[in-house]
């Protein structure tokens, strides 16, 4: 036996910039994604999807296809393995998993068959030749405010109530000197990570071995075991590298289920991968929203009433509610305070979590309404927010576990040059361009989930940490290495962190801005105990000395507070009134988001979030055809996202804001950058043009239409 010792005080890794440990592998092609895992006798599957928006499958004519070259099997509702019907997964009851289990077609793009062949080309050709006939039924994909089928759901995500009420909103509105009553809409949006969803499944010695592109290997493995009636210990899932997710890879998806079905039937490895077009119907999306905000205030801008109602769409398969109105529950107080959600079930794919669920569309509506209130009151938008800064949670009444929102605005205003801003809209020009600036607040809750981690002192003096974390491009692998190194009091090059293996035990997935916080907590506790044992002289055997942590008790003991990250967003835009073109010239985000582990990757995350908000404000919009029920722009040619030419100089920084109840002080940064950025851009467009845009995206045609309407109003006012 040997004794592993630390080298004494070393330069702390946390708080300093470190390049991604897997960066070289990714840019050289050495990193293996789910579709890269090899296997002997690997077969390939192709998903055939429904071409009708509602109805039943009358027949699947698979006989001719089975005779095609290389075809091994055609799975459909008549012959596919049976799945657990009353499946309750990580995120609750989920009937979207019931693929090939019945003849019902709930939307265009629903999986109706899975063709397996020797090569992906053969599988695709056969799937496209497969003849499926339907008994089509009338459908409704038309999301609109006032839809007669809208209803109030029983519960939102995470058990939150769909409605909150405090005081008398109507009375407070009636007694207000200034009232804003505005309606907002946001478009259907799609995740579109760079890596399409893929999985490879095979049976090996009685164990199901799976490589999947998932944000949570442990949760996905357990859900998969339940669906197929397997012992959880018999499912081994790895997700070594993930090329983005944004929420779309947070749960079991059809490609994985179908790969497992096929390998079970054929007895050989099967790979399934989605096309870009299929990702518009098989992995979820952000629902469109229709929101109404009513604000009532005194002449100085102090709120008396705040009402935020939000309508979103769900599917007939499974209820999912975009919780847009929850944003204001922790942001602004008023004597009369009401938030209400409603939802309408349409013949569309089931929406799901998408980066900053609820807060992204909700902040657009409320932060734009706050800006409009400031205009009507003749008060600076930042000053108005300061006058309405709550001392406790507006709805919960709980104290804040740190709230440096106004500090973010103060620092942001200084850096952005806000003090020199002429508040009048439509007066600043740069040649043909109208120029304006806008601001908005950001907030995203800070939470943690239980996790387990193992830290091992190796006989050679190095250390290995194992945890079922996921790195979906966030730099989690690097951050966890830094955290472990500091707790072990060694340099990061002596620590190896292994992640994304379901055998490592329970750990929260990469989502909800809680990944690194939840994993880091477990890693810190395991590393701390290991260091303490070594300091007491514990010997290291040849196979290493291992300590395991479990944070379940520590996380459950968190004191009740309003826990949030905060931020202030600023944007400058230029608008061409002749063409309607909008150019975002610069953006600034100042955040109070807990302790920053790795400034390099943190800046990347926050900047990426702000770009997402810019894209939401100006570009992203899935368009559904009422006749077919399908998305007509289901590719990167028609579904517009911000490209390099659309992204301006973006400055990101943060204030010191550790969470006192977290051993590391982390709050989470994955989503806060997206919240409020679309509103900042929209508010800047108003400042540039004098016209409020309440429908996203703010396309050139909408700019031109609004400009024409404004001219008509001006002419009418002069008559």
């Amino acid at each position: 036996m040997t004794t592993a010792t630390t080298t004494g005080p070393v330069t702390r890794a946390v708080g300093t910039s470190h390049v991604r440990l897997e960066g070289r592998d990714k840019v050289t092609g050495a990193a293996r994604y789910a579709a890269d895992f090899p296997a002997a006798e690997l077969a390939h599957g192709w998903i055939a999807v429904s071409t009708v928006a509602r109805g039943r499958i009358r027949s699947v004519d698979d006989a001719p296809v089975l005779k095609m070259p290389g075809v091994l099997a055609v799975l459909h509702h008549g012959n596919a393995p049976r799945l657990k019907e009353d499946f309750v997964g990580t995120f609750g009851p989920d009937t979207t998993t019931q693929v090939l289990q019945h003849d019902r077609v709930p939307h265009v793009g629903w999986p109706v068959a899975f063709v397996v062949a020797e090569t992906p080309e053969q599988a695709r050709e056969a799937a496209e030749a497969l003849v499926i006939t339907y008994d089509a039924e009338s459908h409704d994909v038309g999301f609109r405010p006032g839809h007669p089928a809208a209803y109030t759901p029983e519960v939102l995500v995470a058990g939150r109530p769909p409605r909150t009420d405090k005081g008398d909103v109507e009375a407070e509105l009636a007694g207000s000197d200034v009232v804003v009553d505005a309606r907002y809409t946001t478009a259907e949006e799609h995740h579109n990570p760079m890596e399409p969803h893929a999985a490879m499944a095979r049976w090996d010695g009685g164990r199901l071995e799976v490589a999947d592109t998932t944000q949570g290997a442990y949760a996905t493995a357990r859900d998969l075991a339940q669906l197929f009636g397997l012992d959880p210990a018999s499912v081994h899932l790895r997700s070594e590298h993930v090329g983005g997710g944004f929420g779309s890879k947070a749960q079991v998806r059809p490609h994985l289920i179908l790969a497992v079905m096929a390998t079970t039937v054929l007895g050989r490895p099967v790979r399934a991968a989605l096309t870009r077009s299929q990702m518009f119907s098989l992995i979820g999306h952000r629902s469109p929203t229709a929101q109404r905000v009513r604000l009532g205030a005194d002449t100085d801008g102090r709120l008396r009433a705040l009402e935020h109602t939000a309508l979103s769409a769900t599917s007939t398969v499974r209820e999912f509610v975009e919780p847009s109105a929850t944003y204001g529950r922790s942001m602004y107080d008023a004597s009369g305070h009401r938030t209400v959600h409603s939802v309408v079930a349409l013949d569309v794919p089931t929406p799901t979590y998408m980066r900053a669920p609820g807060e992204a569309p909700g902040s657009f509506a409320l932060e734009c309404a706050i800006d409009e209130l400031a205009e009507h009151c003749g008060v600076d938008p930042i000053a108005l927010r300061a006058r309405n800064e709550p001392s406790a949670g507006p709805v919960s009444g709980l104290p804040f576990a740190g709230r440096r929102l106004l500090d973010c605005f103060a620092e942001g205003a200084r850096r952005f040059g806000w003090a020199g801003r002429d508040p009048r809209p439509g007066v600043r020009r740069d040649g043909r361009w109208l120029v304006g600036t806008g601001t908005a607040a950001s907030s995203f809750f800070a939470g943690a989930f239980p996790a387990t981690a193992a830290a091992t002192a190796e006989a050679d003096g190095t250390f290995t940490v194992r945890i079922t974390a996921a790195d979906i491009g966030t730099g989690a692998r690097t951050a966890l290495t830094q955290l472990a190194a500091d707790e072990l009091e060694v340099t990061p090059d002596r620590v190896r962190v292994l992640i994304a293996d379901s055998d490592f035990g329970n750990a929260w997935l990469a989502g909800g801005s809680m990944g690194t916080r939840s994993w880091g907590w477990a890693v810190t506790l395991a590393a701390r105990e290991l260091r303490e044992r070594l300091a007491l002289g514990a010997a290291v055997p040849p196979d290493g000395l291992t300590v395991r942590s479990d944070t379940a008790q520590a996380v459950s003991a968190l004191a009740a507070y309003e826990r949030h990250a905060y931020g202030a967003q600023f944007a400058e835009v230029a608008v061409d009134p002749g063409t309607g073109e909008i150019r975002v010239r610069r953006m600034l985000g100042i955040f109070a988001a807990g302790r920053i582990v790795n400034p390099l990757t943190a800046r990347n995350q926050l900047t990426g979030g702000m770009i997402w908000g810019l894209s939401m404000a100006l570009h992203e919009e899935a368009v559904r055809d009422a006749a077919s029920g399908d998305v007509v722009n289901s590719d990167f040619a028609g579904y517009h996202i911000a490209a390099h030419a659309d992204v301006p100089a973006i400055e990101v920084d943060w204030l010191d804001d550790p969470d006192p109840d977290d051993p590391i002080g982390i709050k989470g940064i994955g989503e806060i950058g997206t919240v409020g950025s679309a509103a900042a851009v929209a508010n800047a467009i108003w400042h540039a043009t004098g016209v409020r845009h309440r429908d996203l995206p703010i396309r050139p045609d909408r700019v031109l239409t609004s400009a024409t309407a404004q001219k008509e109003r001006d002419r009418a006012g002069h008559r």
Side-chain angles (χ1 to χ4, degrees):
M1 295 185 181
T2 60
T3 300
T5 59
T6 60
T7 57
V10 296
T11 302
R12 295 192 66 82
V14 171
T16 60
S17 292
H18 288 255
V19 297
R20 299 169 192 268
L21 296 175
E22 77 284 2
R24 181 178 293 275
D25 286 346
K26 286 182 174 178
V27 298
T28 60
R32 291 196 306 183
Y33 293 83
D36 298 327
F37 275 78
E41 297 186 315
L42 179 65
H44 302 266
W46 199 273
I47 304 175
V49 297
S50 165
T51 57
V52 301
R54 182 185 176 94
R56 291 188 180 276
I57 300 170
R58 182 188 302 171
S59 64
V60 179
D61 189 8
D62 59 356
V65 169
L66 287 167
K67 297 176 183 178
M68 294 179 67
V71 174
L72 301 170
V74 177
L75 300 181
H76 51 80
H77 71 279
N79 63 11
R82 298 295 93 184
L83 302 171
K84 183 177 176 60
E85 293 183 8
D86 54 346
F87 170 68
V88 180
T90 301
F91 297 98
D94 187 359
T95 51
T96 65
T97 58
Q98 299 301 297
V99 294
L100 307 190
Q101 300 298 289
H102 50 73
D103 64 355
R104 189 80 204 160
V105 175
H107 60 75
V108 168
W110 176 261
V112 291
F114 188 57
V115 180
V116 187
E118 296 288 353
T119 70
E121 293 81 9
Q122 291 170 333
R124 179 171 188 169
E125 182 182 10
E128 292 175 348
L130 184 64
V131 176
I132 301 176
T133 57
Y134 305 90
D135 290 323
E137 302 171 4
S138 60
H139 63 268
D140 180 10
V141 298
F143 177 78
R144 62 188 184 278
H147 196 292
Y151 64 93
T152 300
E154 293 185 4
V155 68
L156 301 180
V157 294
R160 290 177 289 181
R163 179 184 181 115
T164 59
D165 283 281
K166 184 179 74 172
D168 191 330
V169 170
E170 300 302 332
E172 295 295 341
L173 284 169
S176 295
D177 298 308
V178 182
V179 173
V180 169
D181 185 347
R183 299 175 186 271
Y184 303 85
T185 66
T186 61
E188 178 181 321
E189 298 175 277
H190 288 257
H191 304 76
N192 279 313
M194 285 196 296
E195 178 206 17
H197 293 54
M200 189 275 286
R202 64 189 176 98
W203 286 96
D204 183 11
R207 201 171 195 218
L208 181 63
E209 296 284 345
V210 178
D212 183 36
T213 175
T214 175
Q215 293 174 227
Y218 184 85
T220 300
R222 293 307 178 267
D223 288 352
L224 196 62
Q226 186 187 164
L227 273 169
F228 283 89
L230 302 172
D231 179 352
S234 70
V235 179
H236 181 212
L237 192 150
R238 291 174 294 167
S239 190
E240 187 176 343
H241 295 286
V242 180
F246 313 119
S248 71
K249 297 174 180 174
Q251 57 202 89
V252 175
R253 295 297 182 191
H255 70 283
L256 174 57
I257 297 171
L258 294 171
V260 175
M261 282 183 175
T263 194
T264 301
V265 169
L266 294 173
R268 57 186 288 186
V270 177
R271 177 184 294 161
L274 300 186
T275 66
R276 181 64 58 183
S277 179
Q278 288 174 342
M279 290 171 65
F280 280 78
S281 67
L282 294 178
I283 65 168
H285 60 276
R286 196 196 308 277
S287 163
T289 71
Q291 304 175 60
R292 184 185 184 187
V293 178
R294 294 198 295 168
L295 303 176
D298 296 333
T299 54
D300 64 356
R302 297 183 188 276
L303 284 170
R304 295 186 57 174
L306 187 158
E307 181 188 60
H308 189 176
T309 62
L311 172 68
S312 61
T314 188
S315 73
T316 61
V317 180
R318 178 194 180 202
E319 182 182 271
F320 181 90
V321 185
E322 184 73 20
S324 304
T326 58
Y327 173 77
R329 295 179 183 178
S330 63
M331 285 301 290
Y332 305 109
D333 203 357
S335 298
H337 198 292
R338 179 188 298 145
T339 65
V340 183
H341 294 86
S342 58
V343 67
V344 57
L346 301 174
D347 301 309
V348 298
T350 305
T352 192
Y353 306 94
M354 187 170 177
R355 194 174 191 177
E359 278 83 356
S363 64
F364 163 67
L366 186 53
E367 291 298 320
C368 285
I370 289 288
D371 196 75
E372 189 165 351
L373 178 65
E375 173 202 353
H376 292 333
C377 293
V379 178
D380 179 82
I382 297 177
L384 184 135
R385 288 175 171 84
R387 290 176 189 177
N388 288 288
E389 177 70 357
S391 58
V395 173
S396 70
L398 294 173
F400 291 106
R403 183 178 166 108
R404 299 195 64 186
L405 176 61
L406 296 185
D407 293 337
C408 290
F409 271 114
E411 178 63 13
R414 183 188 69 81
R415 295 196 190 190
F416 196 74
W418 188 264
R421 177 183 188 257
D422 187 334
R424 296 174 300 164
V427 298
R428 182 180 166 193
R429 282 188 172 269
D430 180 7
R432 75 177 191 273
W433 299 92
L434 293 169
V435 181
T437 53
T439 191
S442 298
S443 175
F444 199 82
F445 74 94
F449 272 83
T452 61
T456 301
E458 307 289 0
D460 63 0
T462 64
F463 298 87
T464 303
V465 173
R466 294 174 176 84
I467 185 168
T468 315
D471 195 327
I472 61 173
T474 56
R477 183 185 275 104
T478 309
L480 294 176
T481 301
Q482 293 173 254
L483 289 167
D486 277 5
E487 199 60 48
L488 292 165
E489 297 182 352
V490 299
T491 55
D493 62 332
R494 289 179 59 190
V495 178
R496 180 178 62 154
V497 172
L498 303 178
I499 65 171
D501 187 320
S502 63
D503 280 357
F504 294 163
N506 181 31
W508 178 242
L509 51 84
S513 296
M514 293 182 283
T516 301
R517 174 170 176 162
S518 301
W519 307 323
W521 199 328
V523 167
T524 295
L525 295 186
R528 180 178 301 167
E529 183 178 343
L530 179 60
R531 172 175 51 82
E532 291 171 350
R533 288 194 189 182
L534 294 173
L536 292 174
V540 180
D543 58 349
L545 174 66
T546 298
V547 169
R548 192 166 191 86
S549 68
D550 187 336
T551 64
Q553 185 174 353
V555 169
S556 65
L558 277 173
Y561 285 98
E562 283 272 0
R563 296 183 185 278
H564 297 265
Y566 295 97
Q569 303 263 13
F570 295 83
E572 179 181 286
V573 305
V575 182
D576 187 333
T579 65
E581 180 183 1
I582 301 170
R583 286 290 177 188
V584 178
R585 291 188 165 182
R586 60 187 176 113
M587 295 182 76
L588 168 68
I590 302 294
F591 301 95
R595 189 180 185 191
I596 302 301
V597 177
N598 187 340
L600 181 65
T601 53
R603 184 165 280 108
N604 174 270
Q605 281 293 291
L606 294 169
T607 300
M610 293 172 67
I611 293 172
W612 188 301
L614 181 159
S615 196
M616 177 183 182
L618 303 182
H619 303 290
E620 297 197 41
E621 180 180 25
V623 179
R624 287 199 175 271
D625 177 62
S628 69
D630 205 358
V631 173
V632 299
N633 56 335
S634 57
D635 53 44
F636 279 162
Y639 184 86
H640 295 166
I641 58 175
H644 286 296
D646 300 303
V647 178
I650 296 181
E651 183 182 356
V652 167
D653 212 341
W654 46 80
L655 308 178
D656 186 45
D657 180 45
D659 188 324
D661 293 319
D662 184 280
I664 314 161
I666 291 175
K667 287 188 175 180
I669 58 173
E671 285 149 301
I672 183 69
T674 302
V675 183
S677 48
V681 171
N683 291 336
I685 292 171
W686 165 79
H687 188 234
T689 64
V691 177
R692 292 279 177 189
H693 287 272
R694 301 186 178 94
D695 303 296
L696 297 186
I698 307 174
R699 305 186 308 254
D701 63 304
R702 286 176 168 166
V703 173
L704 294 176
T705 301
S706 64
T708 301
Q710 184 64 51
K711 290 178 181 178
E712 292 296 327
R713 288 192 294 269
D714 291 343
R715 280 196 290 269
H718 288 302
R719 288 197 291 267

